[in-house]
Structures are given as structure tokens and as C-alpha cells.
Amino acid sequence: MSTSEDRKIKEKFKHKTWNEIKTNDSWAIFKIMAEFVDGYEKLSRIGPCVSIFGSARTKPDHKYYKLAESIAYKLTKNGYGVVTGGGPGIMEAGNKGAHKGKGISVGLNIELPFEQHDNPYIDKDKSLDFDYFFVRKVMFVKYSQGFVVMPGGFGTLDELFEAITLIQTKKIGAFPIILVGTEFWSGLIDWVKSTVLEKFSNISESDLDLFSIVDTEDEVLDVVNSFYKKYSLSPNF
């Protein structure tokens, strides 16, 4: 029996008639458009928010779950809203901390075959569901004024490098990108410095200034507050 993965691969090699392209591929544009419109309408009214990225697999008793919850709590108590991917793990911790701090708690959920489900700490009118990863990522970077990146997997790395690339290429403003957990991130950053920068010269040395690495919730808050102070901005007080 063919698996779902097998069918997806074979579908890419299937010859399609022009009518099939018009009915299947072309009409998907309207679903994509609907996700963009819904996201723009809801998120344009939330005010200054910080995105928290991280693994859906992190359990509530893990130190990084507790740290993410504490970070979100302190952010909301200082007037910032929190945006997460809306699922379990670090995302749940972020929304939980924001909910506890009585601040804005947004969830941008994605339909996946495993791991992903809405967590109960998202504001009822600030929960969005997406079918398309690329639409969801646009919402993250368009409506976030800072990115807190906790330990995670491929999805977290994807979100991290998306934000770095957009800032590096000046497609968005140079909002703070904060990597939390030296023990987790140091190996990756060492590789970026020694291989990507020094050995292959594929980035500039100044690109290393696009992010910072911290270990505590107070350090996260200091970076975000310093950014807002630098530009004479004000959070949601």
C-alpha cells in the first residue's frame, strides 16, 4: 500500500493537463490569499509583540519550558505581547507565561500530522490556524518586534535563520534576535564563525552582531528594553 509520502512524491512526477493545473494549483492561490488576509486583519491590531520560538517536544518539567514561561511572563509584565506557534512545548510555555502575566498571548498554529495542537493559553480572539508554513512565517516576522529563540529542532532553526536573513538583507528592521541557552547554541555559533565566516567567507563579520546569546530571563528583558530605549519606542503600557 502506498504511503502518504509516496503519493506526494509520485504526484510531483505526474503529468498534468492544463485543466488540472487550473483547477488544483491555480485555485490554491485563493486559499493562500485567505490566510494572508485573515492574518493581516487580526495581527495588525495587536501592538508590539515578541515572538518566542522553540521545540514542541519540550516537556513542562524541563528547565527550558520553565524558562520560556518565565521569559514570557516578564515580557508581558513590561508591556510586551507574546507570539508563539500556538502548539505544545516551548510554544505552550510562552503562551502560559503571557497568560499568567495578563498580557497579549497570540498563537499562530499550523496543521501537522504530529506534535502540533492548540495550547489552552492563547487569547480566544488571537488564535490563527494555517495550512501553509510560508504564510505563517510571514506573520511571525511582519508583526513581531523581537525574536526569542529557545532550544528547538528543524522548525526552530528555520524560523531563526528566516529572521536573520530578512534582517541581514534589510527586508525588515534590525529587531533583536535573542538565542536562549549557551549550552544549546554555542556549537552552532562556533560552526558559523569558524566555517561559514572564516573558512568560506559566506557571511560578513558584522552579521554576527545580528543576534545575541543569553541564559536568563532578565538578560532577555534587558536586550528587548535596550532596543526599545535606543529607538525611543514604548511597549503596550
Side-chain angles (χ1 to χ4, degrees):
M1 181 179 292
S2 178
T3 66
S4 175
E5 288 76 13
D6 291 338
R7 288 194 295 272
K8 288 178 181 178
I9 291 172
K10 292 177 180 178
E11 181 68 20
K12 290 295 183 180
F13 290 89
K14 178 183 175 182
H15 175 73
K16 294 182 180 180
T17 67
W18 175 240
N19 284 334
E20 286 177 312
I21 293 173
K22 286 194 295 183
T23 56
N24 295 327
D25 296 351
S26 299
W27 281 98
I29 293 172
F30 293 98
K31 181 167 176 45
I32 294 168
M33 186 186 305
E35 289 197 359
F36 273 117
V37 170
D38 188 39
Y40 289 158
E41 287 184 346
K42 289 185 178 180
L43 295 177
S44 62
R45 299 191 291 268
I46 63 175
C49 283
V50 175
S51 284
I52 297 180
F53 301 137
S55 176
R57 304 185 187 194
T58 306
K59 303 301 181 185
D61 60 350
H62 196 283
K63 67 176 182 179
Y64 282 117
Y65 182 105
K66 296 175 182 177
L67 182 55
E69 181 181 343
S70 181
I71 289 169
Y73 175 80
K74 289 202 170 187
L75 285 170
T76 53
K77 296 306 287 186
N78 280 266
Y80 306 102
V82 168
V83 180
T84 81
I90 293 296
M91 295 174 282
E92 177 182 287
N95 290 126
K96 185 177 180 180
H99 181 76
K100 186 186 297 183
K102 295 181 170 53
I104 293 173
S105 180
V106 182
L108 309 182
N109 204 23
I110 185 80
E111 293 187 11
L112 296 176
F114 54 92
E115 290 181 355
Q116 187 77 6
H117 57 78
D118 286 343
N119 70 67
Y121 303 104
I122 304 167
D123 296 340
K124 290 182 178 179
D125 61 336
K126 296 179 177 65
S127 176
L128 290 87
D129 294 308
F130 296 92
D131 283 329
Y132 299 97
F133 267 112
F134 67 90
V135 179
R136 181 178 181 242
K137 286 200 293 182
V138 167
M139 300 305 152
F140 271 125
V141 299
K142 184 174 179 61
Y143 293 106
S144 295
Q145 288 80 41
F147 306 93
V148 174
V149 192
M150 306 294 296
F154 291 141
T156 301
L157 295 174
D158 178 45
E159 290 158 343
L160 165 63
F161 284 109
E162 175 86 6
I164 290 177
T165 301
L166 290 171
I167 292 174
Q168 179 203 43
T169 56
K170 303 186 186 305
K171 294 299 183 181
I172 64 173
F175 296 110
I177 298 174
I178 309 163
L179 309 183
V180 181
T182 303
E183 63 178 353
F184 182 85
W185 295 108
S186 59
L188 174 64
I189 302 310
D190 288 344
W191 173 77
V192 169
K193 290 178 180 177
S194 64
T195 302
V196 182
L197 173 61
E198 295 172 4
K199 187 175 182 178
F200 287 90
S201 301
N202 286 336
I203 61 172
S204 302
E205 189 166 359
S206 60
D207 291 333
L208 299 177
D209 297 329
L210 298 177
F211 55 85
S212 54
I213 304 178
V214 306
D215 287 298
T216 69
E217 55 267 59
D218 289 334
E219 289 176 305
V220 171
L221 194 60
D222 285 344
V223 174
V224 176
N225 281 338
S226 294
F227 170 80
Y228 272 75
K229 184 177 181 180
K230 176 182 177 181
Y231 292 98
S232 300
L233 299 172
S234 176
N236 293 326
F237 283 122

